[in-house]
Amino acid sequence: GNSVTQMEGPVTLSEEAFLTINCTYTATGYPSLFWYVQYPGEGLQLLLKATKADDKGSNKGFEATYRKETTSFHLEKGSVQVSDSAVYFCALTDTGRRALTFGSGTRLQVQP
Amino acid sequence: SQTIHQWPATLVQPVGSPLSLECTVEGTSNPNLYWYRQAAGRGLQLLFYSVGIGQISSEVPQNLSASRPQDRQFILSSKKLLLSDSGFYLCAWSVRFGLNVWGNSGANVLTFGAGSRLTVL
């Protein structure tokens, strides 16, 4: 079945540092890929998405490229802020279940 | 615009007591509806999804159940809570999943509610 693997956290960075959170997936067919963000005590918000190979999703300075050859969708940001501290989830569509399959989440802590 | 509401936001219940979490969606028709659970330090687990009134698919065996009495209402229930039922429950909705020309579901985004934190003591 479909699955998503994320790097374990927490990831601790200083403000303005470069961020990479790794995400790889296993899937049949051509899933769409997503990054969601969860701020403390809140639900999940869509951060960005990509629907086919080589697509780049971007939002709020975050980027991720759909790499079918490496089955990856790594999240990057050039300069993180304290306000980026949150848990980040990688996800893919599961057509058979008409739902999203999520990774385990990666907690990011940005220190001033 | 579409909005999704979940309640209660926080709930503390004794073991063996019943549970009812409610979720409603406004501003759309015929949505797909979902219940996910996020246990402490773990990812999101899909519990139930529904493609229409009275149509519920269960993902994992458990003492929880779901119902969809109306098009935009989704309820998560239990007759007797267990300690292991503690967690953060998230309701979500999406437009109907369909396939695009590449044979995938396109950008069928899930929109989540604010969540309900359940503590079973």
Side-chain angles (χ1 to χ4, degrees):
Chain A
N2 293 359
S3 66
V4 178
T5 302
Q6 289 183 235
M7 61 187 294
E8 292 190 15
V11 174
T12 303
L13 296 173
S14 298
E15 206 165 21
E16 299 184 0
F18 184 85
L19 168 71
T20 299
I21 299 178
N22 290 337
C23 170
T24 56
Y25 68 90
T26 302
T28 56
Y30 301 92
S32 294
L33 302 174
F34 304 82
W35 277 101
Y36 278 80
V37 59
Q38 183 182 34
Y39 298 103
E42 298 183 8
L44 274 69
Q45 303 174 25
L46 177 68
L47 181 59
L48 53 83
K49 61 183 185 289
T51 60
K52 62 183 188 298
D54 300 325
D55 267 2
K56 176 185 285 187
S58 62
N59 186 27
K60 299 180 181 179
F62 291 89
E63 293 182 340
T65 301
Y66 190 161
R67 300 290 188 194
K68 188 165 178 62
E69 64 276 13
T70 55
T71 62
S72 65
F73 193 54
H74 305 321
L75 183 68
E76 297 182 336
K77 186 175 186 182
S79 176
V80 294
Q81 305 300 313
V82 172
S83 57
D84 293 326
S85 298
V87 180
Y88 292 82
F89 291 91
C90 186
L92 56 76
T93 48
D94 186 331
T95 308
R97 296 190 307 176
R98 309 178 199 182
L100 296 188
T101 296
F102 286 85
S104 57
T106 302
R107 182 176 299 279
L108 170 65
Q109 298 173 336
V110 181
Q111 299 175 338
Chain B
S1 63
Q2 301 89 2
T3 56
I4 179 169
H5 304 281
Q6 265 187 259
W7 68 92
T10 306
L11 197 59
V12 179
Q13 292 286 99
V15 170
S17 64
L19 171 73
S20 180
L21 301 178
E22 189 164 341
C23 172
T24 59
V25 180
E26 297 177 357
T28 188
S29 297
N30 303 316
N32 284 359
L33 296 173
Y34 308 85
W35 280 110
Y36 282 85
R37 177 171 59 196
Q38 183 179 20
R42 300 175 63 181
L44 274 74
Q45 179 186 35
L46 178 65
L47 300 177
F48 302 95
Y49 70 93
S50 170
V51 300
I53 296 174
Q55 300 178 60
I56 309 295
S57 296
S58 175
E59 287 297 301
V60 293
Q62 59 214 339
N63 69 320
L64 300 172
S65 62
S67 62
R68 185 170 177 174
Q70 301 180 44
D71 181 45
R72 291 169 291 174
Q73 183 184 29
F74 206 26
I75 298 171
L76 183 69
S77 304
S78 174
K79 293 182 179 179
K80 290 185 177 181
L81 285 169
L82 306 173
L83 287 174
S84 58
D85 292 324
S86 293
F88 194 48
Y89 289 82
L90 291 157
C91 180
W93 74 273
S94 75
V95 297
R96 298 292 186 179
F97 267 41
L99 299 179
N100 63 17
V101 295
W102 297 281
N104 70 18
S105 333
N108 287 308
V109 173
L110 260 64
T111 301
F112 285 84
S116 299
R117 184 163 302 282
L118 171 64
T119 303
V120 182
L121 302 175

